[in-house]
Each structure stands twice: as structure tokens, then as C-alpha cells.
Amino acid sequence: MQLLEERILKDGIVKPGNVLKVDSFLNHQMDIEFINELGKEFKRRFADAPITKILTIEASGIGIACLVAQYFHVPVVFAKKAQSLNLDGEMFTSKVESFTHKKVYDVILSKKFLGPEDHVLLIDDFLANGCALMGLIDIVNKSRATLEGAGIVIEKGFQEGGKKIRDMGVRLESLAIVDSMTDDSLTFRPNN
Amino acid sequence: MQLLEERILKDGIVKPGNVLKVDSFLNHQMDIEFINELGKEFKRRFADAPITKILTIEASGIGIACLVAQYFHVPVVFAKKAQSLNLDGEMFTSKVESFTHKKVYDVILSKKFLGPEDHVLLIDDFLANGCALMGLIDIVNKSRATLEGAGIVIEKGFQEGGKKIRDMGVRLESLAIVDSMTDDSLTFRPNN
């Protein structure tokens, strides 16, 4: 998506350790009108999918998912990353390893909010090694909902997550795929 | 706000320990069209305030803040609850005690995203003992931005947070104030 690639080139900052910081517009400060444009693009790409629910994971996925959901007219459910006193009752759980925080955590979703009748679109800001997305897919499978696909804002194409998810047969739409990055250059995978 | 009070009565669940669960529409599953109505109401109440930025705290505040921000046409910044490897550079920090999780954590905001030129509206889903909101107010003060007020979806009027914040002279708008709750009844404070 050209608008997104231009914004990454303008405002993204590459840090050591293959970190791409887009915190000025996507996941710390959030440019709401810009993210609405991403929402329209996700809707265009998944226009044929009978989506009933958008699933994401806290924290930075939530705001993006809420804005995107407006174009699908469906609720958002977000998986939580730790056991909360407020989250009693039956829950779907999955273990996830965080690339950013270098730790393993539980992903938790109340069973009330996902079931066999649902058609789910996963939304997240980043796809790198794919662990967070694998956790969400595991939860969708456990709920026996239908997984319609995953919409990612920025995929790090040089890490294994995208290939792993596509090899599973999941429909994955990444709005920008970064194939390589150095301190002075970013290369995007050409749009297909 | 009548629409909100009706929804709390219809879908809210009271749990032991003064817990009001609204996770079917507000902070686990999110009813996007409903939350947009809350956004319109916040805009109506703060129509005269020259807001340049909405500040919230992860995780459940983020989605609400993003939807609300559409009516103010301003960016959202969200404070994070722990040190993240991606959050380098200079940061505002404040210590917060969580009522829900019974622990103390650091609230962190990059200094890049809040400064003396900003007029800030705080947005969060719940106000109980006020600790999270006090942490955000502390960060606004440290940034030397102007605090225009705080917009809360549900205030627990029987806990001390609301009084504490109002006594500081902060303009606090809570869309619903629960004055008491038992297993079979909820009492709302009459609208002023």
C-alpha cells in the first residue's frame, strides 16, 4: 500500500536489532485518520469474506482493530496477555513468545466471545516471527470459528512469520512488507 | 448518559469485590458503533476545549480513545505499562497501583509525543480509586502540556477516585457514575 510505504519511509526509524520504530503514527502515538485509510484498504482486500468478528491482541493491536472494524461493521475482541482478576469464567488460552519483550506469556480470550458461528479476521500492527499471530490462530481453532484471514499493517518479510502463516494456508494480507532494512535504506516487497 | 446506563443494566455483570464486568461491549469484546456514540457524547461535553491530543493508557483505554479521537480530529497517544525494548529515548514516567491487578507498575510515555504546546484530554474506560488517572495527570504535568480534562466511560462513584480528581480542580466528565452496586441492583448518580 503506497500511502503506508511512503509514511514508513518518512517517519519510520530503523534501530539496531531489526527494530523498525513507527511509534509516531502507528503504535504509541496514533494518527487516527491515517489508520482509517488502512481500515478502508483491509476492507477492500477482504471485501468477499463474510467476517463477523475482528480478533486482535493487546496492546498495540487494539486501536488499529477498532478503527478497522468500522469498515466491517463487526465487533472487536482482543486477547489479553496475562491472567486478569476480571477474566474469570472459561477461557481459550495459548502460549506466545514475544520477540519485542523476550518472554513467554499466555494469550487469553473469554469463550463467550468466539464460537463456531464466527468468521474471524485477525488484525495486528506487526508480523515478525509470527508467534503472536500463531497464538491467535490457535485460539480461533480452539473456538471452532472459521478463520477468514489475517490483516497485518507491517510484515517483516526477512523474518519467518509470513512464510510460516502462508504455508499453513492462512490468507494473509500485509499492507507493507519490508524485505530488508539497514540504517539508511528500507526495501519493500513489490505489491502483488 | 442514558444509552450507556441502559447498556450497563442490560449487559453489565456485578461480581464480588465491587467488580463491574462490561466485557461484552466495552473492554474485552468491543461494540464499535456503541463506543462511537460515547465518542460523540465526549465531543459534546468538551466541545469548548481546544484539545490537540488524547492521552490514554494501555490496554483497554486504547480502542475507546481511538474511536473517541475521531470526533476531535486529533492523534491518540497511549502510555505503556512497562519498560519496552522498543521504547528507548527520553520518557515521562509515573508509578501507578492497579486496583484490578493488585500491583504497582510504571506508566511510560515518550517525551516526543507530549509537550507544552499540547492541550490534552484523558480518556479511560473506568475510574475507581483514580490511580491510573493520577499517573496520566502526573505525566501531563511533567510534559508541561495543558490538561483540558478527563473523560471516563464508567466511574465507580463509591470509590474515592472521582472526588480526588475533582478536588484537584480537574474537569472530569464521567458518562455514567455508579453510586452503589449489589448483586441485584445498580444505582446511577443522576445526571447533572
Side-chain angles (χ1 to χ4, degrees):
Chain A
M1 185 189 183
Q2 194 178 348
L3 183 76
L4 173 60
E5 292 180 2
E6 288 169 358
R7 187 66 179 265
I8 294 169
L9 290 174
K10 178 170 163 279
D11 292 328
I13 298 170
V14 178
K15 294 274 179 181
N18 281 330
V19 173
L20 172 60
K21 283 172 71 89
V22 287
D23 60 353
S24 66
F25 62 97
L26 192 67
N27 54 16
H28 188 19
Q29 179 166 257
M30 302 181 69
D31 180 335
I32 304 301
E33 285 172 30
F34 174 77
I35 296 168
N36 268 320
E37 294 303 316
L38 307 183
K40 290 176 198 169
E41 177 66 11
F42 281 127
K43 176 62 185 174
R44 193 184 68 77
R45 296 193 185 198
F46 287 101
D48 59 318
I51 290 159
T52 64
K53 213 159 267 190
I54 286 180
L55 174 63
T56 187
I57 184 165
E58 67 178 17
S60 51
I62 301 174
I64 298 165
C66 284
L67 295 168
V68 170
Q70 299 180 111
Y71 300 94
F72 291 88
H73 303 285
V74 299
V76 167
V77 282
F78 62 88
K80 307 199 177 192
K81 278 185 182 164
Q83 184 66 43
S84 156
L85 292 179
N86 273 2
L87 262 179
D88 57 359
E90 294 202 0
M91 289 173 283
F92 300 118
T93 65
S94 186
K95 289 215 178 293
V96 164
E97 189 177 349
S98 166
F99 171 74
T100 316
H101 298 89
K102 318 265 186 229
K103 63 181 180 186
V104 175
Y105 55 88
D106 284 304
V107 173
I108 299 165
L109 186 78
S110 170
K111 289 186 179 175
K112 288 185 291 185
F113 303 131
L114 212 57
E117 70 286 4
D118 281 313
H119 291 251
V120 181
L121 174 62
L122 307 177
I123 291 285
D124 209 358
D125 54 346
F126 268 98
L127 171 59
N129 59 15
C131 289
L133 205 52
M134 295 290 284
L136 293 179
I137 291 170
D138 185 37
I139 280 177
V140 172
N141 289 339
K142 284 172 174 163
S143 77
R144 298 195 294 141
T146 304
L147 179 61
E148 292 290 340
I152 298 294
V153 180
I154 302 172
E155 176 182 335
K156 288 175 169 172
F158 53 88
Q159 289 186 248
E160 73 278 19
K163 181 174 184 326
K164 207 161 63 181
I165 303 286
R166 289 185 181 94
D167 285 351
M168 293 169 67
V170 173
R171 178 175 175 185
L172 172 61
E173 295 279 355
S174 300
L175 300 188
I177 303 178
V178 178
D179 266 341
S180 68
M181 56 188 200
T182 65
D183 288 359
D184 359 47
S185 77
L186 270 179
T187 310
F188 293 105
R189 190 172 303 175
N191 291 320
N192 47 10
Chain B
M1 184 190 182
Q2 194 178 347
L3 182 78
L4 174 60
E5 292 180 3
E6 288 169 358
R7 186 67 179 265
I8 294 169
L9 291 173
K10 179 170 163 281
D11 293 327
I13 298 168
V14 178
K15 294 274 178 179
N18 281 330
V19 173
L20 172 60
K21 281 170 74 87
V22 288
D23 60 355
S24 65
F25 63 96
L26 192 66
N27 53 18
H28 188 19
Q29 179 165 256
M30 303 182 68
D31 181 337
I32 304 301
E33 285 172 30
F34 174 77
I35 296 168
N36 268 319
E37 293 304 315
L38 308 183
K40 290 176 198 168
E41 177 65 11
F42 280 127
K43 176 61 185 174
R44 193 183 68 76
R45 295 193 186 198
F46 286 100
D48 59 319
I51 290 159
T52 63
K53 213 159 266 191
I54 287 180
L55 174 64
T56 188
I57 183 166
E58 66 177 20
S60 51
I62 300 174
I64 298 165
C66 283
L67 295 168
V68 170
Q70 299 180 112
Y71 300 95
F72 291 88
H73 303 285
V74 299
V76 167
V77 281
F78 62 88
K80 306 199 177 193
K81 278 183 182 166
Q83 184 68 42
S84 156
L85 292 181
N86 273 3
L87 262 179
D88 56 359
E90 295 202 357
M91 290 174 282
F92 300 117
T93 65
S94 186
K95 288 215 176 296
V96 164
E97 189 176 349
S98 167
F99 172 73
T100 315
H101 299 90
K102 318 265 188 230
K103 63 180 179 185
V104 176
Y105 54 88
D106 284 304
V107 173
I108 299 165
L109 186 78
S110 169
K111 288 187 180 174
K112 288 185 290 185
F113 303 132
L114 212 57
E117 69 287 2
D118 281 312
H119 291 251
V120 180
L121 174 62
L122 307 176
I123 291 285
D124 209 357
D125 55 346
F126 268 97
L127 171 59
N129 61 16
C131 289
L133 206 51
M134 295 291 283
L136 292 180
I137 291 170
D138 185 36
I139 280 176
V140 173
N141 290 338
K142 284 173 175 165
S143 77
R144 297 195 293 141
T146 304
L147 179 62
E148 291 290 339
I152 298 293
V153 180
I154 302 174
E155 177 182 336
K156 288 174 167 173
F158 52 87
Q159 288 185 250
E160 74 278 18
K163 183 176 185 318
K164 207 162 60 180
I165 303 287
R166 289 185 182 90
D167 285 351
M168 290 169 67
V170 173
R171 178 173 174 186
L172 171 62
E173 295 279 355
S174 300
L175 300 188
I177 303 179
V178 179
D179 266 341
S180 68
M181 57 188 200
T182 66
D183 288 357
D184 357 46
S185 77
L186 270 179
T187 311
F188 293 105
R189 190 173 303 175
N191 292 321
N192 47 6

Short mmCIF file of all heavy atoms in Angstrom, two decimals, chain B residues 29-85:
data_model
loop_
_atom_site.label_atom_id
_atom_site.label_comp_id
_atom_site.label_asym_id
_atom_site.label_seq_id
_atom_site.Cartn_x
_atom_site.Cartn_y
_atom_site.Cartn_z
N GLN B 29 -14.71 -7.74 24.55
CA GLN B 29 -15.38 -7.55 23.27
C GLN B 29 -15.81 -6.08 23.22
O GLN B 29 -16.23 -5.51 24.23
CB GLN B 29 -16.61 -8.46 23.16
CG GLN B 29 -17.35 -8.28 21.85
CD GLN B 29 -18.34 -9.42 21.59
OE1 GLN B 29 -18.09 -10.28 20.80
NE2 GLN B 29 -19.46 -9.39 22.28
N MET B 30 -15.68 -5.46 22.05
CA MET B 30 -15.97 -4.03 21.94
C MET B 30 -17.02 -3.78 20.86
O MET B 30 -16.81 -4.12 19.70
CB MET B 30 -14.69 -3.25 21.63
CG MET B 30 -13.59 -3.50 22.68
SD MET B 30 -12.09 -2.57 22.38
CE MET B 30 -12.68 -0.90 22.69
N ASP B 31 -18.11 -3.17 21.27
CA ASP B 31 -19.19 -2.81 20.35
C ASP B 31 -18.83 -1.45 19.74
O ASP B 31 -19.03 -0.39 20.36
CB ASP B 31 -20.51 -2.75 21.13
CG ASP B 31 -21.69 -2.39 20.24
OD1 ASP B 31 -21.48 -1.79 19.16
OD2 ASP B 31 -22.83 -2.70 20.62
N ILE B 32 -18.30 -1.49 18.53
CA ILE B 32 -17.70 -0.30 17.93
C ILE B 32 -18.72 0.82 17.69
O ILE B 32 -18.44 1.98 17.98
CB ILE B 32 -17.01 -0.69 16.59
CG1 ILE B 32 -15.98 -1.82 16.81
CG2 ILE B 32 -16.36 0.51 15.94
CD1 ILE B 32 -14.87 -1.49 17.77
N GLU B 33 -19.89 0.46 17.18
CA GLU B 33 -20.88 1.52 16.92
C GLU B 33 -21.36 2.16 18.21
O GLU B 33 -21.57 3.38 18.29
CB GLU B 33 -22.04 0.96 16.09
CG GLU B 33 -21.60 0.79 14.63
CD GLU B 33 -22.61 0.07 13.74
OE1 GLU B 33 -23.83 0.17 14.00
OE2 GLU B 33 -22.17 -0.60 12.80
N PHE B 34 -21.51 1.35 19.25
CA PHE B 34 -21.89 1.88 20.56
C PHE B 34 -20.82 2.82 21.11
O PHE B 34 -21.11 3.92 21.59
CB PHE B 34 -22.14 0.71 21.52
CG PHE B 34 -22.38 1.12 22.93
CD1 PHE B 34 -23.62 1.63 23.32
CD2 PHE B 34 -21.38 1.03 23.88
CE1 PHE B 34 -23.85 2.04 24.63
CE2 PHE B 34 -21.61 1.42 25.19
CZ PHE B 34 -22.83 1.93 25.56
N ILE B 35 -19.56 2.41 21.00
CA ILE B 35 -18.47 3.25 21.53
C ILE B 35 -18.35 4.54 20.73
O ILE B 35 -18.02 5.59 21.27
CB ILE B 35 -17.14 2.45 21.56
CG1 ILE B 35 -17.28 1.27 22.55
CG2 ILE B 35 -15.96 3.35 21.98
CD1 ILE B 35 -16.17 0.24 22.47
N ASN B 36 -18.68 4.48 19.44
CA ASN B 36 -18.72 5.74 18.67
C ASN B 36 -19.75 6.71 19.24
O ASN B 36 -19.54 7.93 19.23
CB ASN B 36 -19.02 5.44 17.19
CG ASN B 36 -17.73 5.26 16.38
OD1 ASN B 36 -16.76 5.99 16.57
ND2 ASN B 36 -17.72 4.30 15.48
N GLU B 37 -20.87 6.19 19.76
CA GLU B 37 -21.86 7.07 20.40
C GLU B 37 -21.27 7.73 21.65
O GLU B 37 -21.55 8.90 21.94
CB GLU B 37 -23.13 6.29 20.75
CG GLU B 37 -23.92 5.80 19.53
CD GLU B 37 -24.30 6.94 18.59
OE1 GLU B 37 -24.76 7.99 19.07
OE2 GLU B 37 -24.12 6.77 17.36
N LEU B 38 -20.45 6.98 22.39
CA LEU B 38 -19.76 7.57 23.54
C LEU B 38 -18.82 8.68 23.06
O LEU B 38 -18.70 9.73 23.71
CB LEU B 38 -18.97 6.50 24.31
CG LEU B 38 -19.70 5.23 24.74
CD1 LEU B 38 -18.76 4.33 25.56
CD2 LEU B 38 -20.96 5.54 25.55
N GLY B 39 -18.17 8.44 21.94
CA GLY B 39 -17.26 9.45 21.38
C GLY B 39 -17.98 10.74 21.06
O GLY B 39 -17.48 11.84 21.36
N LYS B 40 -19.16 10.63 20.48
CA LYS B 40 -19.95 11.84 20.17
C LYS B 40 -20.31 12.59 21.44
O LYS B 40 -20.31 13.82 21.48
CB LYS B 40 -21.23 11.45 19.42
CG LYS B 40 -20.99 10.96 18.00
CD LYS B 40 -22.31 10.50 17.36
CE LYS B 40 -22.02 9.63 16.15
NZ LYS B 40 -23.24 8.94 15.66
N GLU B 41 -20.63 11.82 22.50
CA GLU B 41 -21.02 12.45 23.76
C GLU B 41 -19.82 13.16 24.41
O GLU B 41 -19.97 14.27 24.94
CB GLU B 41 -21.61 11.41 24.71
CG GLU B 41 -22.00 11.92 26.09
CD GLU B 41 -23.14 12.93 26.10
OE1 GLU B 41 -23.81 13.10 25.05
OE2 GLU B 41 -23.35 13.56 27.15
N PHE B 42 -18.64 12.54 24.36
CA PHE B 42 -17.45 13.22 24.90
C PHE B 42 -17.20 14.52 24.12
O PHE B 42 -16.86 15.54 24.70
CB PHE B 42 -16.21 12.31 24.81
CG PHE B 42 -16.12 11.28 25.90
CD1 PHE B 42 -15.95 9.94 25.60
CD2 PHE B 42 -16.16 11.65 27.25
CE1 PHE B 42 -15.84 8.98 26.60
CE2 PHE B 42 -16.06 10.70 28.26
CZ PHE B 42 -15.91 9.36 27.94
N LYS B 43 -17.37 14.46 22.80
CA LYS B 43 -17.16 15.66 21.99
C LYS B 43 -18.16 16.75 22.39
O LYS B 43 -17.80 17.92 22.50
CB LYS B 43 -17.28 15.31 20.50
CG LYS B 43 -17.17 16.51 19.57
CD LYS B 43 -15.83 17.24 19.67
CE LYS B 43 -15.83 18.49 18.82
NZ LYS B 43 -14.60 19.29 19.00
N ARG B 44 -19.41 16.35 22.64
CA ARG B 44 -20.42 17.33 23.04
C ARG B 44 -20.02 17.98 24.37
O ARG B 44 -20.11 19.20 24.53
CB ARG B 44 -21.78 16.62 23.19
CG ARG B 44 -22.97 17.54 23.30
CD ARG B 44 -24.27 16.78 23.54
NE ARG B 44 -24.35 16.13 24.84
CZ ARG B 44 -24.59 16.75 26.00
NH1 ARG B 44 -24.78 18.05 26.02
NH2 ARG B 44 -24.63 16.08 27.13
N ARG B 45 -19.53 17.16 25.30
CA ARG B 45 -19.20 17.70 26.63
C ARG B 45 -17.92 18.55 26.62
O ARG B 45 -17.77 19.44 27.44
CB ARG B 45 -19.06 16.55 27.64
CG ARG B 45 -20.37 15.80 27.85
CD ARG B 45 -20.28 14.90 29.05
NE ARG B 45 -21.48 14.07 29.19
CZ ARG B 45 -21.82 13.46 30.32
NH1 ARG B 45 -21.06 13.58 31.40
NH2 ARG B 45 -22.91 12.71 30.38
N PHE B 46 -17.00 18.24 25.72
CA PHE B 46 -15.74 19.00 25.67
C PHE B 46 -15.66 19.86 24.40
O PHE B 46 -14.56 20.16 23.92
CB PHE B 46 -14.54 18.04 25.74
CG PHE B 46 -14.31 17.44 27.10
CD1 PHE B 46 -14.73 16.15 27.39
CD2 PHE B 46 -13.68 18.17 28.11
CE1 PHE B 46 -14.51 15.59 28.65
CE2 PHE B 46 -13.46 17.62 29.36
CZ PHE B 46 -13.89 16.32 29.65
N ALA B 47 -16.82 20.24 23.88
CA ALA B 47 -16.84 20.97 22.60
C ALA B 47 -16.06 22.28 22.68
O ALA B 47 -15.48 22.74 21.69
CB ALA B 47 -18.29 21.25 22.19
N ASP B 48 -16.02 22.90 23.86
CA ASP B 48 -15.37 24.20 24.01
C ASP B 48 -13.87 24.09 24.30
O ASP B 48 -13.19 25.12 24.38
CB ASP B 48 -16.02 24.96 25.17
CG ASP B 48 -15.91 24.15 26.48
OD1 ASP B 48 -16.09 22.91 26.44
OD2 ASP B 48 -15.62 24.75 27.53
N ALA B 49 -13.36 22.91 24.48
CA ALA B 49 -11.95 22.75 24.88
C ALA B 49 -11.07 22.60 23.63
O ALA B 49 -11.39 21.82 22.74
CB ALA B 49 -11.80 21.53 25.78
N PRO B 50 -9.96 23.34 23.57
CA PRO B 50 -9.09 23.33 22.36
C PRO B 50 -8.13 22.15 22.36
O PRO B 50 -6.92 22.31 22.36
CB PRO B 50 -8.33 24.65 22.49
CG PRO B 50 -8.20 24.86 23.97
CD PRO B 50 -9.47 24.28 24.59
N ILE B 51 -8.70 20.94 22.33
CA ILE B 51 -7.91 19.73 22.51
C ILE B 51 -7.04 19.43 21.29
O ILE B 51 -7.52 19.49 20.15
CB ILE B 51 -8.86 18.55 22.84
CG1 ILE B 51 -9.42 18.77 24.24
CG2 ILE B 51 -8.15 17.21 22.72
CD1 ILE B 51 -10.69 18.05 24.53
N THR B 52 -5.76 19.13 21.54
CA THR B 52 -4.84 18.78 20.44
C THR B 52 -4.43 17.31 20.49
O THR B 52 -3.87 16.80 19.53
CB THR B 52 -3.54 19.62 20.51
OG1 THR B 52 -2.85 19.31 21.74
CG2 THR B 52 -3.85 21.11 20.46
N LYS B 53 -4.66 16.66 21.63
CA LYS B 53 -4.21 15.29 21.76
C LYS B 53 -5.03 14.55 22.81
O LYS B 53 -5.39 15.13 23.83
CB LYS B 53 -2.73 15.26 22.16
CG LYS B 53 -1.95 14.12 21.60
CD LYS B 53 -0.45 14.40 21.57
CE LYS B 53 0.02 14.96 20.23
NZ LYS B 53 1.49 14.99 20.11
N ILE B 54 -5.32 13.29 22.54
CA ILE B 54 -5.97 12.43 23.53
C ILE B 54 -4.94 11.48 24.10
O ILE B 54 -4.19 10.84 23.35
CB ILE B 54 -7.16 11.68 22.89
CG1 ILE B 54 -8.31 12.67 22.65
CG2 ILE B 54 -7.61 10.52 23.78
CD1 ILE B 54 -9.54 12.09 22.03
N LEU B 55 -4.89 11.42 25.43
CA LEU B 55 -3.93 10.54 26.12
C LEU B 55 -4.70 9.47 26.87
O LEU B 55 -5.67 9.75 27.59
CB LEU B 55 -3.08 11.37 27.10
CG LEU B 55 -2.12 10.59 28.02
CD1 LEU B 55 -1.04 9.86 27.22
CD2 LEU B 55 -1.48 11.54 29.04
N THR B 56 -4.29 8.22 26.70
CA THR B 56 -4.90 7.12 27.45
C THR B 56 -3.79 6.18 27.90
O THR B 56 -2.61 6.48 27.76
CB THR B 56 -5.97 6.40 26.61
OG1 THR B 56 -6.66 5.46 27.44
CG2 THR B 56 -5.34 5.66 25.43
N ILE B 57 -4.20 5.06 28.48
CA ILE B 57 -3.22 4.10 28.99
C ILE B 57 -3.61 2.72 28.51
O ILE B 57 -4.80 2.39 28.42
CB ILE B 57 -3.15 4.20 30.54
CG1 ILE B 57 -2.09 3.27 31.12
CG2 ILE B 57 -4.49 3.94 31.19
CD1 ILE B 57 -1.77 3.57 32.58
N GLU B 58 -2.61 1.91 28.18
CA GLU B 58 -2.93 0.58 27.70
C GLU B 58 -3.52 -0.26 28.85
O GLU B 58 -3.24 0.04 30.01
CB GLU B 58 -1.67 -0.11 27.12
CG GLU B 58 -0.60 -0.40 28.14
CD GLU B 58 0.59 -1.15 27.53
OE1 GLU B 58 0.79 -1.13 26.31
OE2 GLU B 58 1.32 -1.74 28.32
N ALA B 59 -4.33 -1.29 28.59
CA ALA B 59 -4.67 -1.70 27.25
C ALA B 59 -6.10 -1.27 26.91
O ALA B 59 -6.37 -0.79 25.81
CB ALA B 59 -4.59 -3.21 27.12
N SER B 60 -7.03 -1.39 27.86
CA SER B 60 -8.44 -1.25 27.46
C SER B 60 -8.83 0.17 27.11
O SER B 60 -9.86 0.39 26.47
CB SER B 60 -9.36 -1.83 28.52
OG SER B 60 -9.06 -1.32 29.79
N GLY B 61 -8.02 1.16 27.47
CA GLY B 61 -8.34 2.53 27.08
C GLY B 61 -8.09 2.82 25.61
O GLY B 61 -8.69 3.73 25.03
N ILE B 62 -7.21 2.04 24.98
CA ILE B 62 -6.71 2.42 23.65
C ILE B 62 -7.81 2.44 22.58
O ILE B 62 -7.94 3.39 21.83
CB ILE B 62 -5.57 1.47 23.19
CG1 ILE B 62 -4.40 1.52 24.18
CG2 ILE B 62 -5.09 1.87 21.80
CD1 ILE B 62 -3.31 0.50 23.86
N GLY B 63 -8.57 1.37 22.52
CA GLY B 63 -9.60 1.29 21.49
C GLY B 63 -10.64 2.38 21.65
O GLY B 63 -11.07 3.01 20.67
N ILE B 64 -11.04 2.61 22.88
CA ILE B 64 -12.03 3.65 23.16
C ILE B 64 -11.46 5.01 22.75
O ILE B 64 -12.12 5.80 22.05
CB ILE B 64 -12.42 3.63 24.66
CG1 ILE B 64 -13.07 2.29 25.00
CG2 ILE B 64 -13.34 4.80 25.01
CD1 ILE B 64 -13.17 2.01 26.50
N ALA B 65 -10.23 5.28 23.15
CA ALA B 65 -9.60 6.56 22.82
C ALA B 65 -9.51 6.77 21.32
O ALA B 65 -9.75 7.88 20.82
CB ALA B 65 -8.21 6.64 23.46
N CYS B 66 -9.19 5.72 20.57
CA CYS B 66 -9.07 5.85 19.11
C CYS B 66 -10.40 6.20 18.47
O CYS B 66 -10.46 7.03 17.55
CB CYS B 66 -8.52 4.56 18.50
SG CYS B 66 -6.74 4.35 18.73
N LEU B 67 -11.47 5.58 18.95
CA LEU B 67 -12.78 5.88 18.38
C LEU B 67 -13.22 7.29 18.78
O LEU B 67 -13.72 8.06 17.96
CB LEU B 67 -13.80 4.83 18.83
CG LEU B 67 -13.50 3.41 18.29
CD1 LEU B 67 -14.34 2.35 18.99
CD2 LEU B 67 -13.72 3.34 16.77
N VAL B 68 -13.00 7.65 20.04
CA VAL B 68 -13.35 8.99 20.52
C VAL B 68 -12.59 10.06 19.74
O VAL B 68 -13.15 11.11 19.38
CB VAL B 68 -13.05 9.11 22.04
CG1 VAL B 68 -13.18 10.55 22.51
CG2 VAL B 68 -13.98 8.19 22.85
N ALA B 69 -11.32 9.81 19.47
CA ALA B 69 -10.45 10.80 18.83
C ALA B 69 -10.96 11.23 17.46
O ALA B 69 -10.66 12.34 17.00
CB ALA B 69 -9.03 10.24 18.69
N GLN B 70 -11.75 10.36 16.83
CA GLN B 70 -12.27 10.70 15.51
C GLN B 70 -13.17 11.93 15.56
O GLN B 70 -13.29 12.67 14.59
CB GLN B 70 -13.10 9.54 14.95
CG GLN B 70 -12.26 8.28 14.76
CD GLN B 70 -13.07 7.13 14.21
OE1 GLN B 70 -12.88 6.71 13.09
NE2 GLN B 70 -13.99 6.62 15.00
N TYR B 71 -13.81 12.17 16.71
CA TYR B 71 -14.73 13.31 16.84
C TYR B 71 -13.98 14.58 17.20
O TYR B 71 -14.53 15.68 17.11
CB TYR B 71 -15.84 12.98 17.84
CG TYR B 71 -16.61 11.77 17.36
CD1 TYR B 71 -16.29 10.49 17.81
CD2 TYR B 71 -17.57 11.90 16.37
CE1 TYR B 71 -16.93 9.37 17.30
CE2 TYR B 71 -18.22 10.79 15.85
CZ TYR B 71 -17.90 9.53 16.33
OH TYR B 71 -18.52 8.43 15.80
N PHE B 72 -12.73 14.45 17.62
CA PHE B 72 -11.90 15.61 17.96
C PHE B 72 -10.86 15.90 16.86
O PHE B 72 -10.22 16.93 16.90
CB PHE B 72 -11.18 15.37 19.30
CG PHE B 72 -12.10 15.36 20.49
CD1 PHE B 72 -12.71 14.19 20.91
CD2 PHE B 72 -12.36 16.53 21.19
CE1 PHE B 72 -13.56 14.18 22.01
CE2 PHE B 72 -13.20 16.53 22.29
CZ PHE B 72 -13.81 15.35 22.71
N HIS B 73 -10.69 14.94 15.93
CA HIS B 73 -9.71 15.09 14.84
C HIS B 73 -8.31 15.36 15.38
O HIS B 73 -7.63 16.29 14.94
CB HIS B 73 -10.14 16.18 13.87
CG HIS B 73 -11.50 15.92 13.28
ND1 HIS B 73 -11.74 14.99 12.31
CD2 HIS B 73 -12.73 16.44 13.59
CE1 HIS B 73 -13.03 14.96 12.02
NE2 HIS B 73 -13.65 15.82 12.79
N VAL B 74 -7.92 14.55 16.38
CA VAL B 74 -6.58 14.70 16.97
C VAL B 74 -5.96 13.30 17.11
O VAL B 74 -6.68 12.30 17.11
CB VAL B 74 -6.64 15.37 18.37
CG1 VAL B 74 -7.24 16.77 18.27
CG2 VAL B 74 -7.44 14.52 19.37
N PRO B 75 -4.64 13.23 17.25
CA PRO B 75 -3.99 11.93 17.47
C PRO B 75 -4.24 11.41 18.89
O PRO B 75 -4.56 12.17 19.80
CB PRO B 75 -2.49 12.24 17.30
CG PRO B 75 -2.39 13.64 16.80
CD PRO B 75 -3.67 14.33 17.15
N VAL B 76 -4.07 10.12 19.03
CA VAL B 76 -4.08 9.46 20.34
C VAL B 76 -2.64 9.14 20.72
O VAL B 76 -1.87 8.70 19.86
CB VAL B 76 -4.90 8.16 20.29
CG1 VAL B 76 -4.66 7.30 21.54
CG2 VAL B 76 -6.38 8.46 20.12
N VAL B 77 -2.27 9.36 21.96
CA VAL B 77 -1.03 8.75 22.47
C VAL B 77 -1.42 7.87 23.64
O VAL B 77 -2.29 8.24 24.44
CB VAL B 77 0.04 9.77 22.92
CG1 VAL B 77 0.77 10.34 21.73
CG2 VAL B 77 -0.55 10.87 23.77
N PHE B 78 -0.82 6.70 23.71
CA PHE B 78 -1.15 5.86 24.86
C PHE B 78 0.11 5.57 25.67
O PHE B 78 1.17 5.26 25.15
CB PHE B 78 -1.90 4.58 24.47
CG PHE B 78 -1.20 3.60 23.59
CD1 PHE B 78 -0.38 2.62 24.12
CD2 PHE B 78 -1.39 3.63 22.22
CE1 PHE B 78 0.24 1.69 23.30
CE2 PHE B 78 -0.77 2.71 21.38
CZ PHE B 78 0.05 1.74 21.92
N ALA B 79 -0.05 5.74 26.98
CA ALA B 79 1.04 5.42 27.90
C ALA B 79 1.12 3.91 28.03
O ALA B 79 0.12 3.21 27.95
CB ALA B 79 0.77 6.07 29.25
N LYS B 80 2.34 3.42 28.19
CA LYS B 80 2.57 1.98 28.31
C LYS B 80 2.82 1.62 29.77
O LYS B 80 3.18 2.47 30.58
CB LYS B 80 3.76 1.56 27.44
CG LYS B 80 3.57 2.04 25.99
CD LYS B 80 4.44 1.30 25.02
CE LYS B 80 4.13 1.77 23.59
NZ LYS B 80 4.71 0.90 22.56
N LYS B 81 2.59 0.36 30.08
CA LYS B 81 2.62 -0.04 31.48
C LYS B 81 3.93 -0.69 31.92
O LYS B 81 4.07 -1.08 33.06
CB LYS B 81 1.46 -0.98 31.78
CG LYS B 81 0.16 -0.24 32.03
CD LYS B 81 -0.96 -1.17 32.39
CE LYS B 81 -2.27 -0.42 32.59
NZ LYS B 81 -3.42 -1.31 32.62
N ALA B 82 4.86 -0.90 31.05
CA ALA B 82 6.13 -1.50 31.46
C ALA B 82 7.20 -1.05 30.51
O ALA B 82 6.93 -0.63 29.39
CB ALA B 82 6.02 -3.02 31.46
N GLN B 83 8.43 -1.16 30.93
CA GLN B 83 9.56 -0.82 30.09
C GLN B 83 9.58 -1.75 28.88
O GLN B 83 9.55 -2.95 29.03
CB GLN B 83 10.85 -0.96 30.88
CG GLN B 83 12.10 -0.55 30.13
CD GLN B 83 12.16 0.94 29.86
OE1 GLN B 83 11.83 1.73 30.73
NE2 GLN B 83 12.54 1.32 28.66
N SER B 84 9.61 -1.18 27.70
CA SER B 84 9.65 -1.98 26.48
C SER B 84 10.97 -1.73 25.77
O SER B 84 11.51 -0.63 25.79
CB SER B 84 8.48 -1.58 25.58
OG SER B 84 8.76 -1.90 24.24
N LEU B 85 11.50 -2.78 25.12
CA LEU B 85 12.76 -2.62 24.38
C LEU B 85 12.62 -1.61 23.25
O LEU B 85 13.60 -1.04 22.82
CB LEU B 85 13.18 -3.97 23.79
CG LEU B 85 13.59 -5.04 24.80
CD1 LEU B 85 14.00 -6.30 24.07
CD2 LEU B 85 14.73 -4.54 25.67
#
